[in-house]
């Protein structure tokens, strides 16, 4: 059986910006026969995420992320439907998700590696399993629960950078739900700022491309910053940290401003920023959602409940067609998405 797939065509270089041409779509053959334990799936949605930029380098810089190989099929978070099954616990018509889903229209996968999902958890929006009711949602929720130290009623202020992205757009809302009295987002367009405040319940938003972030923070966070959900690193984070309170907390979710640079993860801070962390006793520990697998199930149920109750608003940017995976990836890395960037695959 002939299928379409996307392979890694070239690497952007450790200090280069990824482009759509780094990926290439080609045809491939799928075996007709399934082995015991295998299933044939039709791909419905694929995810593109900032962490994947590290996978484009031969050396990803971390031990838990493996690089994509040149001329081989690319993979990441995906959701699809089973067309044929030789696995005892999976049947035709079941919906499944997998963190290493190949970027192809149909695939043969080991049934034991897949997670069966219940469409009722997302009111039928299957793509949400790759976003708010999936890894980005868990990253935001568990990051805040484990590293944010939010106490209801203690009048805490949270700042979120990359606030209109997959994690940031959820983190601000979860900050409120967990008890922060004030949440301020930082993002890169007026449209994003407007959506954060009018749709997602942020108290205020700063356009870092137009406004002086330090001045705006001073104005919008008069009592200083107690919790900082950091998706970007770099200059913006240095500015936020300089306005953080004694005994406050940085949730180190991502460092997208540094992903096109050859620096270690997490990138080193300037000496003056390190000094602020020390003197003000600010915690800034690396947060890795993979270390909290025992909390996934309860986390997904909480996120789903909030969504169903209308307390968690979900934004996504959907591009259609496997042939546009590279376009979607390039757009996501340059801030073209609001909420989760998703690619809808349909043959």
């Amino acid at each position: 059986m002939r299928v379409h797939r996307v392979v890694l065509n070239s690497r952007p270089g450790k200090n280069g910006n990824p482009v759509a041409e780094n990926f290439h779509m080609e045809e491939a053959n799928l075996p007709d026969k399934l082995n015991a334990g295998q299933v044939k799936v039709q791909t419905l949605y694929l995810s593109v995420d900032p962490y994947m930029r590290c996978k484009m380098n031969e050396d990803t810089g971390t031990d838990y992320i493996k690089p994509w190989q040149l001329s081989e099929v690319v993979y990441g978070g995906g959701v699809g439907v089973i067309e044929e099954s030789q696995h005892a616990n999976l049947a035709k018509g079941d919906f499944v998700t997998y963190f290493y889903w190949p970027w192809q229209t149909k695939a043969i996968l080991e049934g034991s590696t897949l997670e069966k999902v219940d469409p009722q958890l997302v009111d039928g929006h299957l793509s949400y399993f790759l976003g708010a009711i999936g890894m980005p949602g868990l990253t935001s929720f568990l990051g805040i629960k484990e590293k944010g130290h939010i106490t209801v009623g203690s009048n805490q202020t949270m700042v979120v950078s990359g606030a209109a992205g997959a994690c940031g757009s959820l983190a601000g809302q979860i900050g409120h739900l967990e008890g922060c009295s004030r949440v301020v987002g930082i993002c890169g367009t007026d449209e994003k700022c407007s959506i954060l405040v009018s749709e997602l319940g942020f108290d205020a938003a700063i356009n870092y491309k137009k406004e002086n972030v330090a001045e705006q923070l001073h104005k919008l966070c008069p009592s200083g910053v107690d919790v900082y959900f950091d998706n970007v690193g770099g200059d913006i984070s240095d500015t936020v940290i300089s306005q953080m309170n004694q005994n406050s907390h940085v949730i180190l979710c991502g460092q997208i401003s540094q992903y096109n640079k050859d620096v270690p993860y997490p990138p080193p801070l300037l000496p003056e920023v390190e000094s602020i962390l020390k003197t003000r006793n600010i915690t800034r520990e690396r947060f890795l959602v993979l270390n909290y697998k025992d909390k996934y199930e309860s986390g997904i149920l909480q996120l789903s409940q909030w969504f169903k109750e209308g307390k968690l608003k979900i934004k996504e940017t959907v591009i259609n067609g496997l042939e546009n995976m590279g376009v979607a990836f390039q757009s996501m890395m340059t801030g073209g998405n609001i909420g989760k960037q998703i690619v809808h695959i349909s043959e």
Side-chain angles (χ1 to χ4, degrees):
M1 182 189 193
R2 301 294 280 170
V3 297
H4 286 102
R5 67 177 195 170
V6 172
V7 298
L8 186 64
N9 193 40
S10 56
R11 300 190 189 277
K14 281 198 164 186
N15 297 302
N17 294 320
V19 291
E21 293 72 32
N22 293 137
F23 302 95
H24 170 68
M25 190 167 86
E26 62 182 28
E27 283 197 348
N29 272 320
L30 215 55
D32 293 323
K33 191 172 175 298
L34 297 181
N35 295 329
Q38 290 184 326
V39 296
K40 185 167 89 175
V41 292
Q42 181 192 342
T43 307
L44 297 175
Y45 296 97
L46 293 171
S47 176
V48 290
D49 303 276
Y51 81 88
M52 292 174 169
R53 174 62 187 85
C54 308
K55 295 176 80 68
M56 298 184 82
N57 299 333
E58 235 168 319
D59 173 10
T60 65
T62 65
D63 47 6
Y64 61 92
I65 297 178
K66 300 284 180 268
W68 289 327
Q69 299 302 321
L70 286 171
S71 304
E72 288 187 17
V73 70
V74 177
Y75 55 87
V79 65
V81 62
I82 292 180
E83 290 192 333
E84 200 182 321
S85 175
Q86 288 294 327
H87 188 278
N89 301 330
L90 296 169
K92 182 177 177 178
D94 284 348
F95 294 104
V96 289
T97 184
Y98 185 36
F99 199 54
Y100 304 100
W101 198 290
W103 288 10
Q104 52 193 59
T105 46
K106 292 178 194 279
I108 290 175
L109 301 172
E110 293 299 325
S112 58
T113 62
L114 306 177
E115 185 185 349
K116 190 171 161 179
V117 291
D118 177 3
Q120 288 188 324
L121 286 176
V122 291
D123 285 352
H125 297 278
L126 292 168
S127 56
Y128 290 1
F129 285 121
L130 301 179
I133 319 296
M135 279 313 242
L138 285 171
T139 300
S140 304
F141 177 63
L142 294 173
I144 288 168
K145 291 286 271 189
E146 299 294 325
K147 304 287 187 187
H149 304 278
I150 296 167
T151 313
V152 177
S154 58
N155 221 18
Q156 287 163 296
T157 296
M158 173 190 268
V159 170
V160 182
S161 58
C167 286
S169 61
L170 300 168
Q173 298 180 75
I174 293 168
H176 266 321
L177 288 165
E178 286 293 309
C180 280
S181 57
R182 187 160 182 78
V183 176
V184 175
I186 303 173
C187 54
T189 71
D190 289 344
E191 182 196 7
K192 288 177 179 178
C193 286
S194 165
I195 286 170
L196 291 182
V197 175
S198 65
E199 294 182 36
L200 303 184
F202 283 65
D203 296 288
I206 301 166
N207 179 347
Y208 74 90
K209 291 184 180 171
K210 272 187 168 178
E211 300 174 276
N212 180 309
V213 176
E215 279 176 17
Q216 287 299 309
L217 276 176
H218 200 67
K219 193 167 86 182
L220 297 170
C221 307
S223 308
V225 179
D226 301 294
V227 185
Y228 172 40
F229 195 96
D230 184 8
N231 286 301
V232 302
D235 294 344
I236 288 175
S237 290
D238 294 346
T239 304
V240 177
I241 289 168
S242 72
Q243 297 197 28
M244 291 184 76
N245 293 326
Q246 194 74 22
N247 305 320
S248 55
H249 304 280
V250 178
I251 301 164
L252 195 56
C253 177
Q255 303 279 283
I256 196 170
S257 73
Q258 308 298 302
Y259 287 170
N260 292 330
K261 299 176 186 172
D262 184 8
V263 293
Y265 186 86
L269 293 170
L270 297 169
E272 54 267 37
V273 179
E274 278 288 2
S275 150
I276 292 171
L277 293 180
K278 282 204 179 79
T279 41
R280 296 187 200 163
N281 192 33
I282 300 169
T283 61
R284 179 184 179 266
E285 297 161 353
R286 182 174 178 171
F287 173 73
L288 187 57
V289 72
L290 300 174
N291 291 339
Y292 297 91
K293 287 184 176 167
D294 59 318
K295 299 189 173 171
Y296 284 11
E297 194 177 342
S298 58
I300 289 292
L301 290 174
Q302 176 64 83
L303 291 161
S304 170
Q305 187 185 333
W306 279 335
F307 159 60
K308 289 184 161 197
E309 290 171 352
K311 293 176 181 173
L312 190 66
K313 305 283 193 299
I314 298 175
K315 303 294 290 182
E316 55 180 15
T317 301
V318 182
I319 289 181
N320 286 307
L322 186 73
E323 69 279 7
N324 289 316
M325 291 301 295
V327 172
F329 188 86
Q330 183 178 359
S331 173
M332 177 271 306
M333 285 298 295
T334 50
N337 56 303
I338 295 177
K340 181 80 186 79
Q341 178 73 65
I342 292 284
V343 181
H344 178 230
I345 311 299
S346 49
E347 272 289 74

